[in-house]
Amino acid sequence: MPSDKTKWIFESDDRPARRRDFTDLGPDDTSLLGPAPGIGAAPTALDATRMVQVADERTRIEIVEAIPFEEELDPVVGWLVVTKGPGLGRSVNIGAGMNIVGRESGCRVSLPYGDMTISGEDHLRIVYDDVSRSFLVVPGSGKNITRLNGQVVTATLPLPTHSTLELSKKTTVRFVAFCNEDFDWGDIAPPEA
């Protein structure tokens, strides 16, 4: 039996739901939020988030926060593919620079597939150095260990493509490099001045 403080949560309300009839709205009952371009105006590249729905002459729903389109600033340089455990067959992208791997969504490389023995925020780190065009694996600050091709990762080690990383007794991933000594994004995209 719930206490008096929570009793209202568990009581049922047998009254019919109150409904409002919106058919009698006058022209002053609705207003536009933000600047209003002409009805039916085609969105421009700078209006990528603009959505307009016109139901009739007095109804208009508009989200006007325009965000300029920007090219992807973090191209993929490799992948981790789950080969054993929760998330089997799924892949996650590796970006240039430092990649913190963990379970939480705030990690650059998130593995949120349900293996609670993978550290939440910093299980391990994968580094792609675009100067040497090489990958490294670095132990994270989490309490759980990682094995690279069967060897415990206790210090920074080279990470060759097609290596196996045992993140826990349940989850194993395979590392696949996209960038290497033959290709780097810098080869096709000149650095910005």
Side-chain angles (χ1 to χ4, degrees):
M1 178 88 186
S3 70
D4 289 336
K5 292 180 182 177
T6 58
K7 182 178 178 186
W8 63 271
I9 295 173
F10 299 99
E11 290 178 345
S12 65
D13 186 0
D14 295 331
R15 293 177 296 171
R18 182 176 168 215
R19 296 178 190 248
R20 181 169 175 199
D21 182 10
F22 291 100
T23 59
D24 62 346
L25 289 178
D28 295 332
D29 293 330
T30 18
S31 62
L32 296 176
L33 301 175
I39 293 177
T44 67
L46 292 178
D47 296 329
T49 60
R50 186 177 305 269
M51 296 173 54
V52 176
Q53 176 185 1
V54 179
D56 61 33
E57 289 181 0
R58 58 183 175 169
T59 305
R60 181 182 177 98
I61 301 168
E62 185 170 343
I63 300 171
V64 294
E65 183 180 331
I67 299 173
F69 174 76
E70 293 184 27
E71 291 184 17
E72 180 64 47
L73 299 176
D74 193 17
V76 66
V77 298
W79 300 273
L80 292 180
V81 181
V82 180
T83 58
K84 175 186 167 193
L88 180 68
R90 295 193 178 172
S91 65
V92 291
N93 295 341
I94 306 286
M98 181 72 68
N99 295 272
I100 296 177
V101 180
R103 220 180 42 248
E104 300 295 325
S105 61
C107 293
R108 190 173 188 195
V109 180
S110 178
L111 298 167
Y113 306 125
D115 185 349
M116 299 306 284
T117 57
I118 295 174
S119 298
E121 295 182 0
D122 190 9
H123 189 85
L124 78 138
R125 298 168 184 218
I126 295 176
V127 179
Y128 175 67
D129 178 6
D130 60 349
V131 173
S132 67
R133 297 182 180 201
S134 63
F135 290 87
L136 303 167
V137 63
V138 181
S141 61
K143 68 177 184 170
N144 300 314
I145 63 169
T146 298
R147 295 181 188 276
L148 170 62
N149 297 325
Q151 178 184 352
V152 175
V153 178
T154 57
T156 302
L157 296 171
L159 181 60
T161 193
H162 302 124
S163 293
T164 299
L165 291 162
E166 184 181 321
L167 303 177
S168 70
K169 294 189 186 291
K170 290 182 185 178
T171 302
T172 302
V173 296
R174 187 166 186 183
F175 167 70
V176 180
F178 177 67
C179 291
N180 55 34
E181 57 278 349
D182 297 328
F183 175 80
D184 182 82
W185 289 107
D187 295 343
I188 58 172
E192 293 190 28

